[in-house]
Amino acid sequence: MKRRKLIAGNWKMNGSHKANAELVAAIAARAPELGLVEILVCPPAVYLESVGRHIGNAAVALGAQNLCEQAAPGAFTGELHGAMLAEVGCRYVIVGHSERRALYGEDDSRVAQKFLAAQACGLTPILCVGETLEQRQSGQTEDVLELQLGKVILAAGIQAFARAVIAYEPVWAIGTGHAATPAQAHEAHAFLRGQLRGHDAKIADSTRVLYGGSVKADNAAVLFAGEDVDGGLIGGASLKAADFLAICVAAQARAAG
Ligand code: 13P
């Protein structure tokens, strides 16, 4: 099955009205020639609505970086319900990013709740999984991936992955400039797809698995060459239009080839 490439920019806690407007204008201008790629930007929540206005009718999707796990709105100071994110134009939301797991105490069960909360509001969750350096060095990579993905499959059911994206983000590659080698990425992606296949072959064939962790203009093509790599979740390089667009061009070339 042909899975449409997805290039997602996770802006993390970066941006300003001025910088966002310039970045979105540059991406939107090139979107028509990148039609084989789905382009997504995930700004900080406070900018979602204005970034949505900058996108206008351009073929660029909007996503959030996080949401509250609660099923209903209410007394949860500082939190954002999925329905609110959907109302301001989000189609996607990142869940379980390693920074949220490591810095904000999100465990697998909280991540699974967020995945469910996203889908209940019609948002497509981008579920991030990935091992730390210590886990990789002690040979636990596959165990970690199996557990992180398995917890969500258990909570949501395998059919929920018809409306979800997985992002393999090895923690040691995030923001370090040391991306996984193509072989390491391809191995992990094949493993994750194999986990899905153990439950449902159709879901395994249709679910997109993105790679994230120091994707740059100069390594995107080799990382995307892997059969099971369906695009990227881009941090630092998503903040510069030229870099982000070069990564989109690499994905477009892969999709066309
Ligand atoms: P970098 O591309 O900056 O390594 O970040 C990756 C990431 O965490 C995307 O979610």
Side-chain angles (χ1 to χ4, degrees):
M1 166 186 278
K2 194 102 173 133
R3 295 177 295 268
R4 191 168 180 217
K5 300 283 181 226
L6 172 60
I7 301 296
N10 174 9
W11 296 2
K12 307 191 180 184
M13 197 174 72
N14 294 289
S16 65
H17 280 308
K18 184 170 180 291
N20 301 347
E22 290 170 5
L23 182 53
V24 172
I27 296 168
R30 295 280 302 281
E33 70 198 71
L34 297 164
L36 299 177
V37 179
E38 184 175 5
I39 301 173
L40 168 66
V41 292
C42 301
V46 72
Y47 295 126
L48 284 167
E49 203 162 6
S50 61
V51 166
R53 277 196 300 273
H54 294 315
I55 290 171
N57 292 326
V60 177
L62 187 65
Q65 299 174 13
N66 183 30
L67 84 167
C68 183
E69 69 283 359
Q70 294 292 333
F76 303 100
T77 302
E79 292 294 314
L80 296 170
H81 192 267
M84 299 169 183
L85 301 174
E87 192 171 30
V88 298
C90 289
R91 300 226 322 265
Y92 290 89
V93 60
I94 298 168
V95 300
H97 191 279
S98 71
E99 287 150 18
R100 298 221 51 91
R101 292 179 190 259
L103 303 173
Y104 301 98
E106 290 187 12
D107 59 12
D108 286 326
S109 91
R110 176 69 56 93
V111 171
Q113 287 175 314
K114 290 189 179 215
F115 182 101
L116 289 168
Q119 289 197 329
C121 297
L123 298 167
T124 297
I126 299 177
L127 171 66
C128 299
V129 297
E131 80 287 359
T132 62
L133 185 59
E134 195 184 18
Q135 289 165 335
R136 174 163 283 268
Q137 287 174 340
S138 58
Q140 296 175 68
T141 298
E142 293 191 348
D143 292 344
V144 170
L145 297 181
E146 182 174 355
L147 195 69
Q148 290 179 338
L149 178 59
K151 281 274 170 80
V152 178
I153 296 176
L154 194 66
I158 190 67
Q159 295 306 323
F161 282 80
R163 293 185 297 126
V165 173
I166 297 171
Y168 170 59
E169 296 209 317
V171 178
W172 46 271
I174 295 176
T176 60
H178 300 292
T181 65
Q184 286 170 326
H186 303 162
E187 190 179 20
H189 282 235
F191 177 79
L192 288 165
R193 201 174 300 287
Q195 293 293 300
L196 297 175
R197 196 171 304 283
H199 293 269
D200 188 300
K202 250 197 189 138
I203 294 289
D205 286 337
S206 64
T207 302
R208 291 180 292 186
V209 184
L210 311 182
Y211 170 78
S214 295
V215 180
K216 307 288 176 203
D218 61 4
N219 63 12
V222 287
L223 285 164
F224 298 162
E227 190 186 331
D228 287 305
V229 180
D230 303 307
L233 182 54
I234 320 300
S238 73
L239 299 171
K240 287 196 189 133
D243 292 354
F244 186 64
L245 285 163
I247 293 166
C248 293
V249 166
Q252 170 89 2
R254 175 75 177 97

